[in-house]
Amino acid sequence: MKRIFIVLILSLMCLTQINAQKFQGLAKTPPMGWNSWNIFQTNINEKVIKEIADVMVSSGMKAAGYKYIVLDDGWMSMRRDSITGNLIPDPKKFPHGMKALADYIHSKGLKFGLYNCAGTNTCQGYPGTRGYEYQDARLYATWGIDYFKYDWCNTKGINAKEAYTTMSKALQKAGHPIVFSVCEWGLNKPWKWAASVGELWRTTDDIYHVFDGVHDFGTWSALGVMRIVDLQKGLRKYAGPGHWNDPDMLEVGNGMTTSEDRTHFSMWCMLAAPLIAGNDLRKMSKTTLDILTNREVIAVDQDSLGIEGFKYADNDSLEFWVKPLEKGDWAVCFLNRSSVKKHIDFDWRKEIITDSLSHRKLIAKINKYKLRNLWTKKNIGTTKRVLKASIDSHDVLMLRLHKIK
Ligand code: GLA
């Protein structure tokens, strides 16, 4: 009897192993790193990437939690190897190849990622993956690639769920643990099927470094930060430890004002979004670095509960967002989307905030919370007092409410 039981358990374990479509435990909190696209597009090379890796460490970004260095579109040659069919790193940009670059990045205690597309070609016309899924996955494994962003250009006629599932299985079969970043721009509602396939899925079209509205590129348009925030509505229930909504990479340091950058970063943390920096780390200002490495704000993003925040109220372009955190804490973000300074006069004890997803409640009339301003890093009293503050245009007041037992 005992033997039959053991055999049963072992077969069940094998079955789960076979059915598991992704490596487990790779992104218990939203992935953090850097990606080349937003600032360099295809203009990348091994010298620049090594320098970025160096600065990731020397600037303190690694210590603040950033881990992945990801090469986006443009890392490979225009054609696959005519004999083996393998992808070839562009010999001019990456003369020492990808294994050498991966080794360098790993030697810094960081992890390395690459990009390709599910279609016949990438968005910039380089060789795509279609028909080469298992072969490419094996190649990435031999190079030691830890993160793979899989885009959706040139995919006419393909079923998204099937294409991403095939790639996920190929990566799994290749055997090297790898974070799988699903990037089909939210076209096929990946939040409904990608949790078992990858660790994160893009929810929208590409981001652009403007606060609101869209940026028109002629044949397509990219979205401002607030536009993307609005498009996250209704998606929070799909995210959690190991599987995240991805509102696209960060534009902090790429041209918005300091207030706007701070707001962008705060909102990504309220949304438990992946934090993938997209600026030239070698040239960033102290202000940009301070935003990207604010550990108290990052702690909101990386909170172990992995519950996305939500908009509790808005009034005349002043929004009030909340996010349940571990140990009964809450993050609160007052967001001023208007073009003028706004004043708040907020009586915590008049609000009963209930999260229908996590069933957590913020009731300041019953519980008392200490307030911490996460950008000034100052304690500012408790929820017993009415909160009076002013918030600049396009800026935030972001607080952590620490429950007093
Ligand atoms: C798409 C993606 C971007 C970037 C480019 C590269 O637009 O959404 O994030 O990867 O392709 O060509």
Side-chain angles (χ1 to χ4, degrees):
M1 187 64 190
K2 198 171 161 198
R3 192 172 295 162
I4 295 175
F5 186 67
I6 292 172
V7 170
L8 204 71
I9 294 283
L10 283 176
S11 346
L12 267 177
M13 280 169 70
C14 283
L15 260 182
T16 8
Q17 195 58 37
I18 289 162
N19 285 334
Q21 281 179 10
K22 65 177 192 184
F23 295 95
Q24 297 299 305
L26 292 185
K28 288 185 183 146
T29 59
M32 292 176 66
W34 177 89
N35 173 298
S36 54
W37 181 254
N38 284 357
I39 186 72
F40 295 125
Q41 289 83 54
T42 59
N43 196 13
I44 44 178
N45 63 60
E46 82 186 16
K47 180 172 176 287
V48 170
I49 301 305
K50 282 174 153 182
E51 286 170 5
I52 294 281
D54 293 347
V55 178
M56 185 98 126
V57 178
S58 64
S59 65
M61 281 184 70
K62 178 187 169 204
Y66 295 84
K67 176 155 93 175
Y68 297 97
I69 301 268
V70 182
L71 297 188
D72 208 282
D73 212 346
W75 61 266
M76 50 185 134
S77 301
M78 274 301 178
R79 285 189 207 299
R80 288 176 177 269
D81 184 288
S82 57
I83 297 165
T84 63
N86 278 344
L87 293 166
I88 311 170
D90 183 320
K92 282 213 183 80
K93 295 175 177 173
F94 299 98
H96 297 93
M98 282 305 150
K99 175 75 171 68
L101 187 53
D103 288 349
Y104 183 83
I105 289 171
H106 290 150
S107 77
K108 300 255 141 190
L110 298 168
K111 295 199 174 276
F112 187 37
L114 285 180
Y115 160 102
N116 207 325
C117 247
T120 47
N121 288 88
T122 73
C123 300
Q124 302 305 314
Y126 296 89
T129 310
R130 190 161 187 201
Y132 292 89
E133 292 83 355
Y134 282 80
Q135 178 170 354
D136 287 358
R138 282 195 299 274
L139 185 65
Y140 301 146
T142 64
W143 289 342
I145 303 304
D146 313 294
Y147 186 111
F148 183 54
K149 173 175 169 184
Y150 201 40
D151 210 348
W152 192 237
C153 280
N154 305 303
T155 52
K156 203 160 171 242
I158 324 184
N159 175 291
K161 183 177 173 188
E162 282 171 11
Y164 282 92
T165 304
T166 302
M167 194 64 213
S168 174
K169 284 185 176 158
L171 294 169
Q172 169 101 2
K173 183 92 196 302
H176 182 75
I178 187 163
V179 168
F180 187 35
S181 160
V182 172
C183 177
E184 60 72 82
W185 321 313
L187 290 182
N188 300 278
K189 299 193 169 47
W191 42 87
K192 293 207 165 154
W193 47 262
S196 61
V197 172
E199 279 67 34
L200 60 160
W201 53 82
R202 277 275 294 279
T203 53
T204 69
D205 286 337
D206 289 10
I207 194 168
Y208 195 71
H209 53 273
V210 289
F211 188 67
D212 209 348
V214 299
H215 183 82
D216 191 2
F217 282 99
T219 50
W220 66 288
S221 26
L223 309 174
V225 168
M226 288 298 114
R227 193 59 76 95
I228 290 186
V229 168
D230 292 339
L231 289 167
Q232 306 311 305
K233 193 169 175 212
L235 302 187
R236 66 188 290 260
K237 66 175 180 218
Y238 298 104
H243 49 101
W244 307 100
N245 286 313
D246 173 12
D248 205 359
M249 304 169 296
L250 295 167
E251 290 282 17
V252 174
N254 282 346
M256 291 189 290
T257 67
T258 300
S259 293
E260 291 169 346
D261 274 354
R262 186 164 39 233
T263 298
H264 172 25
F265 195 74
S266 303
M267 289 310 296
W268 260 231
C269 292
M270 292 299 287
L271 291 168
L275 298 178
I276 309 293
N279 57 315
D280 187 345
L281 306 187
R282 302 166 308 166
K283 296 183 181 157
M284 71 184 147
S285 66
K286 164 102 173 49
T287 311
T288 296
L289 178 65
D290 287 347
I291 292 174
L292 289 172
T293 55
N294 184 324
R295 290 183 187 224
E296 297 188 43
V297 177
I298 292 174
V300 170
D301 181 77
Q302 297 287 304
D303 185 81
S304 62
L305 297 183
I307 303 172
E308 251 186 70
F310 62 100
K311 183 161 71 177
Y312 170 69
D314 64 32
N315 180 9
D316 195 19
S317 296
L318 183 65
E319 298 185 356
F320 179 86
W321 287 72
V322 293
K323 180 182 195 286
L325 302 176
E326 58 188 24
K327 298 190 185 132
D329 286 8
W330 287 78
V332 165
C333 191
F334 294 90
L335 160 65
N336 180 4
R337 293 174 70 148
S338 81
S339 53
V340 292
K341 189 184 265 219
K342 295 261 177 190
H343 301 279
I344 55 171
D345 211 320
F346 190 79
D347 190 348
W348 301 96
R349 285 165 309 169
K350 285 195 180 142
E351 307 291 334
I352 296 183
I353 300 172
T354 309
D355 176 9
S356 56
L357 182 66
S358 67
H359 304 297
R360 281 164 187 263
K361 289 182 173 29
L362 199 180
I363 310 178
K365 212 160 90 178
I366 300 177
N367 296 307
K368 196 166 120 187
Y369 298 85
K370 275 201 277 191
L371 303 179
R372 171 95 171 155
N373 183 325
L374 300 186
W375 285 108
T376 61
K377 300 184 182 160
K378 292 208 167 85
N379 297 327
I380 55 162
T382 72
T383 46
K384 264 189 132 179
R385 271 215 315 263
V386 173
L387 175 72
K388 288 178 192 289
S390 48
I391 306 169
D392 283 340
S393 160
H394 295 184
D395 214 328
V396 288
L397 173 64
M398 189 171 178
L399 309 173
R400 186 178 184 115
L401 272 60
H402 177 65
K403 193 168 173 188
I404 304 169
K405 301 260 154 53

